[in-house]
Amino acid sequence: MYPVVFKHRSKLYLATASMLGGTTGLVPWVWVASSWYDPVPGAFIFGGFFYLMWTGELARLLFEPQTKRVARTLVVRGTQAIFIATAPGMLGLYGGALFGIDYPYEGLAEQVGTIVLGFGTVVLSIGLILEWKRLPQVVDSSARIALDMMKEFGFGLDDLRLWVVIDPTLDNLGKTYPADDEFAILLHTGSIYGTESGGLYQTMIHEMSHVYLFQKKHPSHIERTFEEVYDPIVERLPAKWQSRTTRAVMLCPLEVFAEDLTFKVLEGSKTSWAKAALEYFRRGRAIRKSLAISSKRRMWGNALLLIRNCYYQSVMQRYRMADSGAIVKKANEKLLASLPPIASTSFDYFHRLFLELRDDITAEDFKKTLEDYLSKFIALAEGRSGEDAGERKLRGAVLEPTNRLES
């Protein structure tokens, strides 16, 4: 396995350096005797802080459930100190604007707040640097253990062609794609110390299951199949968001086979998966329909939501996971009741398809299954009860223009 790569880490360090650089401007003896300089330190601090929040790195450490460690403690305490330090200034700002008066010892309070702000920023930065420095080591160690586990259960990989990449900009916990004769596993930083969906080992083994299926040329993971049926879709779909939605839908059948291997390799992974799925339904995300302005985009978004819900319910039934309180069933019934009648018919079809996928499927049968599956999805997304002649040409699966299948 190649050394673990951390994408965009330099940008994260630059944002941290921006915050630290701003704190030096808060110290009185480095101030420049010019009015234009006054807002510069605050701009550096705010800019770095905003970027870390925008990428989700700071929010991940502050709010997401994670294991306890020194780096996270420093980040939390440093952030708390920063917000406490801004209180005197905010109080003076709003007090003056609303009441036209200054509170007692306002100048002294703001000076103390400035010192606390600098201290909090330094503590926060130290925590972030410790976090990012350690992440590749944790991932590398976990990946090697996961490779041994895969081999132990008879699913050994050719790890000499394997890349593992940490990418804080991913839109989910992990992705896998082939690149020429090599394979890359991308991990979101949130999957490393996070507890969602079973944590790092479950995410790692799930993605390695995709690599195994690619290397063994399992019918569900043959790139040529996707090329042959997806290219017509790319040519006919007018909007990029339609292609992205179709790609997301296409990946669901692949996930079934990867989960099958994950559940065999990692003890307790079914329980973790079911817990995450039930939480998804319990929080109401399963009935949160698309809010897009365009009616067409809303229809496609709702069709994707239905597929996702159907996938979760089917996998739970496929592996006999308990739906305590019928949370999943009730949520899906509520969603279907709010959609056109075609949704119920389509849901039954997708539910049956996910349940009946078998490991011994042939490449030809999987291709036909994928064609029918996407044909039904497009009919649902377009609000049609059936498939017209033009749509038959659109059957297929999704690859990016760079010919890289992600999951």
Side-chain angles (χ1 to χ4, degrees):
M1 189 179 76
Y2 294 103
V4 175
V5 178
F6 194 157
K7 292 181 66 176
H8 307 295
R9 180 162 56 176
S10 59
K11 295 180 181 179
L12 299 176
Y13 280 138
L14 183 61
T16 306
S18 176
M19 291 195 302
L20 287 172
T23 61
T24 62
L26 300 175
V27 181
W29 55 79
V30 298
W31 285 359
V32 176
S34 177
S35 59
W36 68 265
Y37 183 77
D38 292 344
V40 173
F44 273 96
I45 295 175
F46 176 78
F49 192 87
F50 176 80
Y51 181 80
L52 294 175
M53 288 296 292
W54 180 71
T55 58
E57 270 301 277
L58 194 52
R60 171 180 72 85
L61 288 161
L62 292 175
F63 306 120
E64 293 182 5
Q66 298 180 54
T67 58
K68 294 182 179 179
R69 56 195 182 280
V70 173
R72 191 188 186 202
T73 299
L74 291 174
V75 169
V76 172
R77 297 292 178 261
T79 305
Q80 290 173 340
I82 290 173
F83 278 102
I84 292 173
T86 60
M90 297 300 294
L91 185 61
L93 177 64
Y94 287 109
L98 295 176
F99 306 108
I101 58 174
D102 298 331
Y103 60 86
Y105 303 105
E106 180 178 344
L108 177 61
E110 289 182 353
Q111 290 179 18
V112 173
T114 299
I115 296 173
V116 175
L117 176 63
F119 176 77
T121 304
V122 171
V123 172
L124 167 64
S125 301
I126 292 174
L128 291 172
I129 292 170
L130 290 177
E131 172 82 355
W132 298 329
K133 181 179 180 181
R134 182 163 171 74
L135 289 184
Q137 302 172 21
V138 174
V139 170
D140 183 79
S141 175
S142 301
R144 296 185 187 282
I145 294 174
L147 285 169
D148 291 339
M149 294 173 68
M150 293 288 290
K151 184 177 181 180
E152 180 182 348
F153 281 84
F155 306 121
L157 310 179
D158 180 4
D159 58 312
L160 296 178
R161 297 185 291 149
L162 182 63
W163 290 89
V164 178
V165 181
I166 302 171
D167 187 351
T169 65
L170 282 182
D171 54 4
N172 52 36
L173 293 179
K175 288 185 178 181
T176 299
Y177 63 84
D180 297 325
D181 62 340
E182 297 181 333
F183 301 88
I185 293 176
L186 275 65
L187 297 173
H188 191 277
T189 48
S191 69
I192 299 174
Y193 288 116
T195 58
E196 183 180 354
S197 299
L200 177 58
Y201 279 112
Q202 188 151 337
T203 301
M204 185 80 72
I205 290 177
H206 175 85
E207 299 306 326
M208 286 185 177
S209 296
H210 281 296
V211 175
Y212 175 83
L213 293 169
F214 275 123
Q215 291 186 347
K216 294 298 180 180
K217 299 190 181 300
H218 187 274
S220 65
H221 285 66
I222 298 176
E223 288 183 88
R224 186 178 65 255
T225 299
F226 301 99
E227 294 173 1
E228 291 174 353
V229 270
Y230 177 60
D231 285 347
I233 291 183
V234 176
E235 294 172 359
R236 295 290 297 274
L237 292 178
K240 289 184 179 180
W241 61 263
Q242 291 176 305
S243 297
R244 290 195 299 268
T245 302
T246 309
R247 178 181 63 187
V249 169
M250 179 274 300
L251 294 176
C252 289
L254 281 70
E255 295 298 309
V256 172
F257 295 104
E259 294 295 3
D260 188 29
L261 295 188
T262 303
F263 297 154
K264 291 178 181 178
V265 173
L266 189 61
E267 183 180 359
S269 54
K270 286 185 184 180
T271 302
S272 300
W273 195 98
K275 182 179 179 181
L278 289 172
E279 190 65 17
Y280 164 83
F281 285 94
R282 188 178 292 112
R283 291 181 178 179
R285 294 166 61 189
I287 57 174
R288 198 175 300 162
K289 296 195 294 183
S290 174
L291 298 177
I293 297 176
S294 164
S295 60
K296 187 180 187 68
R297 196 157 186 170
R298 283 199 305 272
M299 291 171 61
W300 277 71
N302 293 336
L304 174 60
L305 177 63
L306 182 142
I307 289 284
R308 185 179 294 117
N309 289 5
C310 184
Y311 168 76
Y312 285 137
Q313 179 172 325
S314 300
V315 171
M316 290 184 69
Q317 293 179 349
R318 181 182 174 94
Y319 298 103
R320 296 180 176 84
M321 301 174 186
D323 178 15
S324 55
I327 296 173
V328 178
K329 182 180 179 181
K330 291 176 182 178
N332 281 332
E333 288 176 349
K334 185 174 182 179
L335 175 66
L336 291 174
S338 67
L339 297 175
I342 184 180
S344 297
T345 304
S346 300
F347 188 94
D348 293 339
Y349 166 81
F350 297 133
H351 179 257
R352 185 174 64 255
L353 183 146
F354 291 137
L355 282 177
E356 295 177 355
L357 284 174
R358 293 293 177 263
D359 186 62
D360 59 355
I361 192 171
T362 64
E364 182 179 352
D365 286 343
F366 184 77
K367 179 180 178 181
K368 184 179 184 303
T369 298
L370 203 55
E371 288 176 340
D372 293 340
Y373 167 72
L374 290 178
S375 174
K376 289 285 187 180
F377 170 75
I378 293 174
L380 172 64
E382 295 292 330
R384 296 194 293 268
S385 59
E387 177 186 43
D388 58 28
E391 189 173 72
R392 292 189 185 96
K393 297 180 181 179
L394 293 181
R395 293 176 178 180
V398 177
L399 275 177
E400 290 186 278
T402 54
N403 191 27
R404 285 167 29 170
L405 172 65
E406 295 184 355
S407 64

